[in-house]
Amino acid sequence: IKANIQSLFSLIIISLLCAVCGILCADKKTADYINIAGVCAVAALFLNSVDGMVEQTVTALGQINTYSRAAFPAVFAAAAAGGAITAASARYAAVSLGLDVIMNIAQNTVIPLMYCYLAFALCRGLFENPMIKALQHFVKWLNGLVMSGVILAFSAYMSIVGAVSSSADALAVKTARTVISNFLPVVGG
């Protein structure tokens, strides 16, 4: 909270200095330079916070990956113990592979796109240019598309693996019943 209050007071001081300097100067060009200096000061103020948030995101993704590697074997072992031997092993392999792909895409594509978006947001604050605005919106759209595409592909992959492996388990159970019924005499029948 202390750091947030310090950032708030710094932001207020930057805003007041820019406002006072803008009032005192009569030249439009000088006022533009004051605005640029104000945007740069605010960007410098919050750049460390943004970098810390992105670093925390990367750390959280790593912790999710570590947790999943520890928890998934227990979950799928329980499923195998419940009779879904083929499905459990296939789904474990699919989830492990899918999670690794998602984590790699998040760390190697989505996070750099977030930095790119922030850079365009900073440029847009400095220069009012419709091309920068369009690029900023494009990067935001692309980031959403990449994440949505990865999640949809993963869901489809998991559905296919689940259907195929469940069919294999059902066929194995049916085959086992047929084999057992042919070789063991039925009592009372």
Side-chain angles (χ1 to χ4, degrees), residues 48-124:
N48 194 23
S49 299
V50 169
D51 195 37
M53 287 189 314
V54 172
E55 188 174 317
Q56 287 177 354
T57 302
V58 171
T59 302
L61 288 172
Q63 289 174 344
I64 289 170
N65 199 9
T66 302
Y67 171 76
S68 67
R69 290 188 187 278
F72 284 158
V75 170
F76 290 113
I85 297 169
T86 306
S89 59
R91 285 183 179 157
Y92 175 70
V95 166
S96 296
L97 174 68
L99 197 58
D100 282 343
V101 169
I102 288 172
M103 293 300 167
N104 283 333
I105 289 174
Q107 290 179 349
N108 297 327
T109 305
V110 174
I111 290 175
L113 282 173
M114 285 173 35
Y115 275 124
C116 187
Y117 176 81
L118 292 172
F120 281 127
L122 176 64
C123 289
R124 190 171 164 203

Side-chain angles (χ1 to χ4, degrees), residues 137-159:
H137 287 295
F138 173 74
V139 169
K140 181 180 177 182
W141 172 82
L142 183 62
N143 204 358
L145 180 70
V146 167
M147 282 308 294
S148 298
V150 167
I151 298 300
L152 285 173
F154 177 70
S155 298
Y157 177 65
M158 285 303 300
S159 297

Side-chain angles (χ1 to χ4, degrees), residues 8 11 21 34-36 43 45 49 70 79 113 141 145 159 163 172-173 177 189:
L8 176 67
L11 185 61
C21 290
I34 291 171
N35 287 337
I36 290 173
L45 178 67
S49 299
L113 282 173
W141 172 82
L145 180 70
S159 297
V173 168
R177 284 184 185 159

Side-chain angles (χ1 to χ4, degrees), residues 14-25:
I14 291 169
S15 298
L16 289 174
L17 285 174
C18 287
V20 168
C21 290
I23 291 171
L24 293 177
C25 74

